[in-house]
Every structure is written in C-alpha cells, then in structure tokens.
C-alpha cells in the first residue's frame, strides 16, 4: 500500500509537536549525506556548486530555511517516494544519529502508529554495538524470508543490506521491476559479503552465477563437495545445484524486466506476484548463504576452543 499524504503529514506534525530534531546529534548536511550523494546534487543557490554547500549555508550558517524544509525539497523526494521516506525515517533512529535507546523506541512507536495505517512499520533488523538498527517492512505483502535476512548477517555493511531490504519491501507492489532488480543485487551482495569475509578477492567481472559458484565452493556447498557416502547424497546435490538455477533465473528476469537494463519495444511488465516470487527466492538464498557462513564460523570457534 502507498503511504498516503495524510500519513506523511501526520508524521511531520508529530515531529513538530514533539520537538524532535530529525538529524539527531548530527548536523543536517552530515545526516543527509548518509542517504544522498549531496556533493553530486544541484544547489538551489547559484553561489554554490552542490547541495551540501547549499544546505550548509541556509541551515547551519544563516538558518533562513524552515525546520521542515527537508520534507518539501524536490531534490530529496520525501514527499514523493515511499522508499526514500522510509529510509529517511529509519535513519533518524540509527545509532549513529540517535544513541539513546529509550528515545529511539519512543520515536519508532510514534512512526509506526501512523505507518501501520498504510500497512508499513519500522522493525529492528540488526544491532550495532548493542543498539538497534531499524528498516521498513510490510507485514501485508512481503515474503517472510525477507525479514529474516538481517538476523543472519555477521559480516559486511548492514546499513547497505538494510537499504536493499527496504527497497524490495517498498517496491514489491508499487514497482515490481525495481523489486526484481534489487533481488538480483541482494544475491550479489550476499555472495560478495561472504567471500570478502572469508578472504577471497572478488573479481569485478563475475556475474551472479559465477559469484554463486565461487561462494558455494568456498562454503563447501558446491554439488561436487558432497561425499557419495553422505546419506541422500544425490538429493543434496540436486538441491545445491538448484541454487545456481535460482541465481541465474533472478538475473535473467532482472535483465529482461528489472531495473538497470534497457527493454525492447513492447516488452511487457511484471506484476507484484512475480516480484514476490523473485524476492522470496533471492531472500531464501541469501539467508541460506549467511546461515551457512555463520555455521562455518561457529564450527571454527568450537574447533579452536577444543585445541590444546
């Protein structure tokens, strides 16, 4: 469901009435730089060459823009894009922005009271130094596996993965092609995260199937690594072999219909049901890779502790 104008205004009113500073302990340009490439965005003031300097001048030096300016600035799109609004709200309660846990949960409850009217909510997806990290999710339309991804990530950039999760969740119904494109990116991220954590240098030329082959090889998941003496070895090999088909299928759908590639004239679009299928498959694969990596780390720790 789209986030309505009524909900957007209600959240803005709550921030204003409760005197909540959306940038938290950061200055506004620093906060927004966590979400936007400010140095590459245009300035509305002809004296400056980019949005960062523009914002710095009018919000930190002159203070001649209203406190609510961020919600109507066309460059930021908070009044136009559900994805951007949800990512913005999640960032306002990020540990780097607002370290007080009690304050964070109070603000999240405030947001959710209104977001849930449109089928959305902010939910804890990970922790940094014992403090919660939130991302948006839809309890109505998104495959449950998406919500499990962040729980299993122990390596890599959790902020980036959280953004991918939010993008998929917000796009499944409103922009199925974006959801499919992000599902492909999620598989790439999962493979690269695991490989880099293991210490394997990732070749920039590797496509999704190649990334997955190398990841399953390093995790000893490749069909060829299953011993013939293992119970139901043939079945295990078939299941593991199907992982490559999932990755290839997601990549092909993304190339044909998803974001990031030109389409042939007259190419038909995909609907939410297709996006849910692809997002669910990609999320299941990502969870499996992260779980397997975590299991490998735990086994290594156990072996190390048992070594005299």
């Amino acid at each position: 469901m789209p986030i309505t104008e009524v909900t957007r205004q209600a959240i803005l009113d709550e921030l204003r009435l409760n005197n909540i500073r959306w940038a938290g302990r950061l200055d506004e340009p620093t906060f927004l730089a966590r979400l936007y490439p400010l140095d590459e965005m245009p300035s509305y003031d002809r004296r400056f060459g980019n949005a960062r300097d523009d914002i710095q001048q009018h919000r930190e030096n002159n203070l001649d823009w209203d406190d609510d300016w961020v919600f109507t600035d066309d460059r930021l799109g908070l009044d136009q894009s559900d994805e951007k609004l949800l990512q913005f709200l999640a960032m306002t309660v990020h540990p780097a922005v607002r370290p007080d846990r009690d304050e964070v949960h109070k603000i999240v409850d405030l947001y959710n009271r209104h977001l849930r009217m449109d089928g959305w909510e902010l939910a804890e997806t990970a922790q940094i130094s014992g403090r919660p990290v939130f991302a948006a999710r839809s309890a109505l339309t998104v495959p449950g596996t998406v919500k499990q991804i962040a729980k299993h990530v122990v390596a890599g950039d959790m902020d980036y993965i959280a953004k991918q999760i939010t993008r998929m969740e917000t796009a499944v119904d409103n922009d199925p092609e974006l959801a499919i494109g992000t599902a492909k990116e999620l598989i790439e991220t999962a493979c690269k995260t695991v490989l880099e954590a293991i210490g394997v240098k990732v070749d920039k030329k590797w496509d999704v199937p190649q990334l997955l082959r190398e990841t399953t090889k390093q995790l000893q998941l490749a069909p060829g690594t299953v011993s013939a003496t293992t119970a139901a070895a043939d079945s295990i090999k078939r299941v593991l072999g199907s992982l490559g088909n999932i990755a290839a299928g997601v990549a092909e759908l993304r190339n044909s219909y998803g974001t990031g590639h030109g389409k042939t004239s007259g190419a038909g679009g995909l609907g939410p049901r297709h996006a849910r299928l692809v997002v669910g498959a990609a999320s299941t694969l990502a969870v499996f890779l992260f779980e397997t990596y975590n299991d490998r780390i735990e086994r290594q720790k156990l072996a190390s502790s048992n070594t005299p």
Side-chain angles (χ1 to χ4, degrees), residues 153-210:
V153 180
V154 296
D157 186 348
M158 187 55 236
D159 282 351
Y160 181 66
I161 293 173
K163 287 181 181 179
Q164 290 181 313
I165 295 171
T166 300
R167 185 177 298 118
M168 286 193 301
E169 292 179 329
T170 56
V172 164
D173 282 320
N174 298 328
D175 193 346
E177 294 177 358
L178 175 62
I180 289 171
T182 308
K184 180 257 187 183
E185 294 170 7
L186 176 66
I187 294 176
E188 290 179 325
T189 299
C191 290
K192 290 177 180 178
T193 298
V194 169
L195 288 173
E196 290 172 0
I198 292 173
V200 176
K201 185 176 181 180
V202 176
D203 190 327
K204 294 181 179 179
K205 296 180 181 180
W206 287 348
D207 57 13
V208 170
Q210 288 174 308

Side-chain angles (χ1 to χ4, degrees), residues 40 65 73 80 83 98 110 112 170 172 175 198 256 302:
E40 302 171 12
W65 286 356
D73 192 299
Q80 303 164 6
E83 178 189 350
R98 192 165 269 106
L110 179 155
N112 285 342
T170 56
V172 164
D175 193 346
I198 292 173
S256 299
L302 181 61

Side-chain angles (χ1 to χ4, degrees), residues 240-300:
L240 294 178
S242 70
L243 292 177
N245 294 331
I246 293 175
V250 170
E252 289 170 4
L253 272 175
R254 194 259 189 177
N255 292 343
S256 299
Y257 296 101
T259 56
H261 292 267
K263 304 177 182 65
T264 59
S265 177
L270 296 176
R273 70 183 187 278
H274 303 103
R276 275 189 284 274
L277 173 64
V278 175
V279 168
S283 302
T284 298
L285 177 53
V287 168
F288 180 70
L289 293 176
F290 286 130
E291 280 187 319
T292 304
Y293 172 76
N294 295 348
D295 181 67
R296 168 180 169 147
I297 295 300
E298 290 301 318
R299 285 188 282 109
Q300 288 176 345

Side-chain angles (χ1 to χ4, degrees), residues 42-62:
S43 169
Y44 286 163
D45 188 326
R46 62 184 180 181
R47 294 175 297 174
F48 306 106
N50 57 61
R52 182 192 293 273
D53 293 341
D54 188 7
I55 297 167
Q56 180 71 36
Q57 178 66 26
H58 292 281
R59 284 299 298 164
E60 301 298 324
N61 298 337
N62 290 351

